[in-house]
């Protein structure tokens, strides 16, 4: 091991060991104050963050795609710190973070907690969107309320140093994961940035200065050697990683043949607790129905967004669209999908290895279609519903979208889709379900049963699972039950600002149509085309205004957000 790497790690961990002693004596009021300071500093340096992020990703100034960096950078860190601070305040007052929340029964003996809308601003800015966190079967509201708080229930009982290995695609991931280790895990934390994100180090150090100055946090850069030194260091108590299952297995079991043997024998090199968010092959299920031309166009843009947000470099990016082979409008929908992909602005291929993964998809599927002038945008039809199908078991992490047709209409199709998604696709991080309101009504209880049967950490109905990531009080992570030997999309959750103990999933619902068509067709929602759509022309302006609104939510700034959203 390089002596400079050892020195860097030793210095950081020595400071954090001192910091843990201080963290153990830091009151809930002081911990809430720390969150409020980080919230303020995030707002102060938000523009600098976005400018650096856009430069990393090669996004030109003025591009609507820069809006992605507002919405996935400073915005979720500000909403996350504000939501966590509210939970800590309730604990200060000897109340549960879930006090005041609405509880509802969920299928299968589960209990649901409504996490969106949370306040009157949510009801206006995100009108028509709802989210619930579901418990595991058999857990009632009283138990959820009593157990909420996690590491902040006994703040003096700290749990050592955590290492967070950051992601290189969405730049709020590592900061949010670090806060979760501090507050849910009651640990001090060292972040190791992904090398792609290294240019953000100065701004992140300014944002987290209140925690760094007290030795509660350190942020390091470097390659695999420094990551290995951190994860294996005896002073580290826990590890959290965002990345691929292959990277996870290398950290836990080691590389190459020796690592494969250790994995087969269940003898990991890393014996300390590790949590993870690892992506997979996320699907979008499109239920057949009788749709208008406008519905077809809008939902095609929606599905294109599921795949092409951040150019497909998302753990949650939909890789397979599942449609009914018997849907009379199937060809119309696929034609609209092609046009939506063509309309999406061009962008730089910034993520390492993406071109190779696209080339791999093209070699595996000689009949694949290159969409428009964007040579990396690939559509693959005629997939087979089996785990041996490459597009169903390989996360391409690139703008590659497969089309899987299953037989049946309505209930028969939905039943087949649930089975295939649960049994044949790699990963359980999230799933999107697109369904006409009339189809949901006709299916009735069968639709609710199907949702409960899906084994995914986030289920988005007429919405995008990425909104679950952006909802601070929602949970984010794989469906429970994975093991080190079969890691799939990972173990554990993050975000979860209500500090709910052992949640099962988040279920998100949105409007099938944007306003004003939604109102004309009986959907009581005022939300226009969402600003996160990759075809939204005012995305940057709207999402920058939404981020500014998150600094201090107030009525005087709502109108600016809504007026820009309407122009999009």
């Amino acid at each position: 091991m390089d002596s400079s790497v050892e020195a860097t790690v030793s210095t950081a961990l020595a400071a954090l060991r001192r910091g843990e002693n201080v963290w153990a004596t830091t009151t809930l009021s002081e911990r809430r104050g720390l969150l409020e300071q980080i919230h303020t500093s995030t707002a102060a340096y938000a523009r600098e963050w976005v400018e650096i992020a856009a430069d990393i990703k090669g996004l030109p100034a003025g591009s609507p795609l820069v809006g992605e960096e507002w919405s996935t950078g400073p915005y979720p860190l500000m909403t996350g710190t504000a939501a966590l601070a509210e939970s800590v305040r309730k604990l200060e007052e000897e109340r549960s973070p879930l006090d005041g929340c609405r509880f509802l029964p969920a299928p299968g003996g589960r209990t649901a907690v409504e996490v969106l809308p949370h306040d009157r601003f949510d009801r206006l800015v995100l009108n028509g969107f709802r989210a619930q966190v579901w418990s595991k079967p058999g857990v009632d509201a009283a138990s959820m309320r009593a157990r909420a708080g996690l590491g902040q229930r006994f703040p003096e009982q700290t749990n050592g140093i955590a290492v967070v290995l950051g992601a290189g695609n969405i730049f709020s991931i590592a900061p949010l994961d670090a806060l979760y280790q501090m507050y849910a895990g009651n640990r001090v934390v060292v972040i190791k940035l992904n090398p792609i994100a290294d240019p953000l180090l100065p701004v992140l150090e300014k944002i987290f200065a209140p925690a760094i100055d007290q030795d509660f946090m350190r942020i390091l850069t470097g390659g695999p050697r420094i990551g290995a030194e951190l994860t294996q260091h005896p002073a580290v108590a826990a590890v959290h990683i965002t990345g691929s299952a292959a990277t996870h297995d290398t950290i836990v079991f080691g590389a190459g043949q020796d690592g494969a043997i250790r994995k087969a024998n269940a003898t990991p090199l890393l014996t300390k607790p590790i949590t993870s968010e690892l992506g997979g092959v996320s699907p979008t299920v499109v239920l057949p129905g009788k749709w208008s031309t406008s519905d077809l166009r809008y939902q095609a843009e929606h599905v294109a967004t599921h795949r092409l947000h951040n150019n497909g470099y998302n753990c949650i990016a939909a890789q397979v669209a599942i449609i009914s082979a018997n849907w009379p409008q199937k060809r119309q929908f696929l034609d609209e999908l092609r046009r939506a992909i063509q309309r999406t602005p061009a962008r730089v291929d910034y993520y390492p290895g993406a071109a190779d993964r696209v080339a791999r998809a093209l070699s595996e599927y000689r009949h694949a279609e290159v969409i428009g002038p964007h040579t990396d945008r690939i559509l693959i039809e005629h997939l087979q519903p089996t785990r041996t199908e490459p597009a169903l078991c390989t996360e391409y992490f690139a703008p590659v979208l497969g089309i899987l047709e299953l037989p049946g209409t309505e209930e028969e199709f939905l039943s087949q889709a649930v089975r295939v998604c649960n049994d044949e696709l790699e990963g359980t991080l999230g799933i999107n379900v697109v369904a006409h309101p009339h189809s949901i009504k006709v299916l009735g209880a069968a639709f609710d049963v199907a949702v409960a049967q899906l084994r995914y950490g986030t289920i988005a109905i007429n919405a995008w699972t990425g909104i679950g990531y952006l909802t601070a009080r929602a949970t984010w992570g794989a469906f429970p039950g994975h093991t080190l030997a079969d890691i799939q999309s990972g173990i554990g959750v993050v975000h979860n600002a209500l500090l709910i103990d052992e949640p099962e999933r988040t279920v998100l619902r949105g409007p099938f149509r944007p306003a004003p068509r939604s109102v004309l067709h009986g959907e009581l929602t005022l939300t226009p085309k969402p600003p996160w759509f990759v075809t939204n022309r005012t995305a940057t302006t709207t999402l920058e205004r939404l981020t500014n609104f998150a600094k201090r939510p107030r009525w005087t700034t709502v109108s600016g957000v809504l007026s820009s959203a309407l122009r999009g």
Side-chain angles (χ1 to χ4, degrees):
M1 179 62 67
D2 189 325
S3 60
S4 64
V5 168
E6 290 182 350
T8 298
V9 169
S10 295
T11 300
L13 296 182
L16 291 170
R17 281 194 293 268
R18 296 191 299 270
E20 186 186 4
N21 294 328
V22 179
W23 187 239
T25 61
T26 302
T27 66
L28 288 174
S29 175
E30 291 167 334
R31 292 177 181 215
R32 174 174 53 81
L34 179 64
L35 289 166
E36 291 167 350
Q37 291 176 65
I38 294 170
H39 181 276
T40 298
S41 57
T42 304
Y45 297 107
R47 179 169 295 280
E48 181 180 350
W49 178 337
V50 170
E51 289 173 351
I52 295 170
D55 186 62
I56 291 171
K57 297 184 180 183
L59 301 175
S63 168
L65 297 175
V66 175
E68 294 179 358
E69 301 313 310
W70 284 101
S71 64
T72 63
Y75 172 76
L77 186 55
M78 280 194 280
T79 57
T81 48
L84 266 176
E86 182 181 333
S87 291
V88 174
R89 180 185 290 278
K90 289 182 179 178
L91 290 165
E92 282 180 67
E93 298 167 350
E94 299 185 350
R95 298 192 293 142
S96 168
L98 295 177
D99 282 358
C101 292
R102 184 185 181 201
F103 290 87
L104 299 163
R110 297 170 173 89
T111 300
V113 181
E114 189 175 85
V115 297
L116 181 74
H118 180 73
D119 56 27
R120 61 190 185 279
F121 292 118
D122 285 346
R123 290 182 178 89
L124 184 58
V125 176
L126 292 169
N127 189 265
F129 286 87
R130 295 173 290 148
Q132 299 173 344
V133 174
W134 287 13
S135 73
K136 295 178 180 178
V139 179
D140 61 18
S143 296
M144 292 185 76
R145 188 181 287 109
R147 291 156 53 187
L150 300 178
Q152 299 310 292
R153 293 177 64 199
F154 305 100
E156 70 284 356
Q157 297 177 15
T158 56
N159 295 304
I161 299 170
V163 169
V164 168
L165 299 177
N169 58 333
I170 297 296
F171 297 136
S172 60
I173 290 177
L176 289 168
D177 293 349
L179 287 178
Y180 198 69
Q181 289 294 327
M182 291 178 66
Y183 285 83
N186 203 21
R187 300 181 176 103
V188 291
V189 63
V190 53
I191 299 173
K192 209 290 286 184
L193 292 177
N194 184 293
I196 297 173
D198 283 356
L200 283 164
L201 176 64
V203 72
L204 292 177
E205 287 184 326
K206 287 185 281 192
I207 286 170
F208 283 102
I212 293 170
D213 291 346
Q214 297 182 77
D215 295 329
F216 300 154
M217 180 184 289
R218 286 292 184 271
I219 308 175
L220 303 181
T221 60
R225 289 186 301 172
I226 200 164
E229 177 73 4
L230 282 166
T231 57
Q232 294 292 340
H233 200 287
V236 169
V239 176
H240 179 81
I241 174 178
T242 300
S244 69
T247 300
H248 170 274
D249 286 351
T250 298
I251 292 169
V252 173
F253 297 105
Q257 186 63 30
D258 289 344
I261 292 171
R262 291 189 194 95
K263 182 177 178 180
N265 294 332
T267 54
L269 287 174
L270 186 75
T271 56
K272 60 193 68 174
I274 179 169
T275 52
S276 50
E277 188 261 271
L278 305 174
V281 176
S282 295
T284 292
V285 176
V286 181
L287 268 65
K290 189 175 181 180
W291 296 10
S292 70
T293 300
S294 296
D295 294 338
L296 290 163
R297 183 178 301 115
Y298 176 78
Q299 290 300 343
E301 292 184 2
H302 200 180
V303 174
T305 297
H306 297 168
R307 176 71 268 186
L308 294 179
H309 183 277
N310 198 32
N311 209 35
Y313 309 142
N314 287 340
C315 290
I316 201 61
Q319 185 166 300
V320 178
I322 302 175
I323 64 176
S324 169
N326 305 111
W327 185 23
Q329 295 178 293
K330 174 184 68 176
R331 278 294 127 199
Q332 289 175 269
F333 176 75
L334 291 176
D335 288 344
E336 289 290 355
L337 180 58
R338 286 180 174 85
R339 285 191 281 269
I341 292 171
Q342 289 174 338
R343 286 197 299 273
T344 303
R347 58 191 307 161
V348 174
D349 172 11
Y350 77 90
Y351 202 88
D356 292 338
R357 291 189 293 276
V358 170
R360 175 180 176 180
L362 288 171
S363 69
E364 290 169 333
Y365 296 99
R366 298 294 183 181
H367 65 280
E369 179 184 354
V370 177
I371 301 294
H374 312 294
T375 57
D376 62 341
R377 297 181 184 176
I378 309 301
L379 192 69
I380 307 169
E381 293 194 67
H382 312 302
L383 298 180
Q384 298 301 310
T386 171
R387 203 171 185 82
T388 59
E389 185 75 67
L392 272 58
C393 64
T394 303
E395 183 183 13
Y396 289 122
F397 213 69
V400 177
L401 178 63
I403 305 297
L404 174 61
E405 296 185 22
L406 297 176
T409 58
E410 296 180 343
E411 189 168 354
E412 179 188 0
F413 168 78
L414 181 57
S415 177
Q416 287 286 328
V418 169
R419 184 197 65 78
V420 169
C421 291
N422 282 342
D423 298 341
E424 307 298 341
L425 272 64
E426 185 75 12
T428 65
L429 185 61
I431 182 171
N432 310 284
V433 179
V434 177
H436 193 288
H438 180 72
S439 298
I440 295 175
K441 182 178 180 180
V442 167
L443 287 165
F447 185 83
D448 297 331
V449 169
V451 171
Q453 289 174 339
L454 287 167
R455 297 193 295 269
Y456 285 84
T458 298
I459 300 170
I461 302 162
N462 290 332
W464 174 42
T465 45
I467 307 311
Y469 175 92
L470 298 177
T471 300
R473 294 173 179 84
T475 57
W476 186 251
F479 194 79
H482 299 314
T483 64
L484 293 181
D486 183 23
I487 196 62
Q488 297 276 326
S489 292
I491 296 172
V493 300
V494 290
H495 303 188
N496 187 26
L498 293 171
L499 301 173
I500 298 169
D501 187 35
E502 295 189 10
E504 184 183 64
R505 71 181 86 186
T506 286
V507 178
L508 176 72
R509 296 175 187 262
F512 180 73
R513 305 176 181 90
R517 285 198 303 114
S518 54
V519 178
L520 296 174
H521 288 83
E523 289 185 275
L524 300 180
T525 173
L526 302 177
T527 299
K529 179 195 289 187
W532 52 83
F533 269 41
V534 290
T535 52
N536 191 301
R537 295 168 298 177
T538 65
T540 295
T541 301
T542 304
L543 293 168
E544 179 181 356
R545 290 181 179 180
L546 184 64
T547 303
N548 290 331
F549 169 77
K551 294 178 185 179
R552 187 164 68 89
R554 56 197 187 277
W555 294 113
T556 54
T557 55
V558 168
S559 59
V561 177
L562 296 180
S563 63
S564 180
L566 286 168
R567 290 195 303 273

